[in-house]
Amino acid sequence: AMDAVRLADNQRVLCASPAYLTDRGVPQSIAELSQHSLLAAQGQLPWHLSRRGTVRVVEGPSIVSTNSSDVIRELASSGAGIALRSLWDVDALLHSGALVPILREWQAPDNLALHALTPQGSNSAAAGAFINFVQGLLAPLKWELPNAAQPVT
């Protein structure tokens, strides 16, 4: 068994490149995602999204088969499709305009977070020091969506 210590939140966002959205159109609803190319690493679909108490499940295959979230991020930024990514993973790409958030009112579950795992009851001084160090590094970081969606023409 393991003990988990929460290090940081893990908010996620649906996003795609401006080129993809120009070519394929900007989805206006969750239902329209079925008409788009979805990008997800193995085990990351289906997506469970909610808006004001309404939950929708986005099913469908990813257009690629990979176990690498890095590959998914790079494919999304190169125009291959729509991805559900962690803000910490795509923050710089969103703020540079390489990726654009879509369907912003829909949220992924907020029960996911970054955790440190230690053997249950270990109480190691070294592990505690490491966890405190990482929490100190992450505490000032605020991964947020850009204030306004980037224009897509």
Side-chain angles (χ1 to χ4, degrees):
M2 304 293 278
D3 287 328
V5 177
R6 189 182 191 103
L7 300 173
D9 292 334
N10 187 21
Q11 184 181 353
R12 293 174 293 156
V13 59
L14 287 166
C15 56
S17 73
Y20 175 87
L21 297 172
T22 298
D23 184 50
R24 298 284 304 272
V26 179
Q28 300 300 310
S29 70
I30 292 296
E32 288 183 22
L33 289 175
S34 66
Q35 302 162 19
H36 286 269
S37 299
L38 304 181
L39 298 167
Q42 292 170 351
Q44 292 180 343
L45 277 168
W47 297 333
H48 297 265
L49 304 169
S50 63
R51 178 184 68 181
R52 296 185 300 274
T54 300
V55 176
R56 294 284 182 262
V57 177
V58 178
E59 306 256 4
S62 174
I63 63 166
V64 297
S65 178
T66 181
N67 64 356
S68 171
S69 291
D70 293 337
V71 168
I72 298 303
R73 181 192 60 241
E74 296 305 313
L75 285 170
S77 66
S78 70
I82 295 172
L84 179 64
R85 303 301 315 138
S86 296
L87 278 180
W88 60 263
D89 185 36
V90 295
D91 181 71
L93 293 169
L94 290 167
H95 283 87
S96 74
L99 285 174
V100 177
I102 60 169
L103 299 170
R104 292 170 69 121
E105 68 277 10
W106 289 91
Q107 303 293 315
D110 61 4
N111 62 348
L112 296 178
L114 302 176
H115 288 86
L117 299 177
T118 59
Q120 190 172 31
S122 68
N123 297 327
S124 159
F130 176 75
I131 290 168
N132 288 338
F133 173 75
V134 173
Q135 286 175 323
L137 290 175
L138 296 177
L141 300 177
K142 300 293 181 213
W143 299 295
E144 298 176 346
L145 287 171
N147 287 335
Q150 300 291 331
V152 177
T153 57

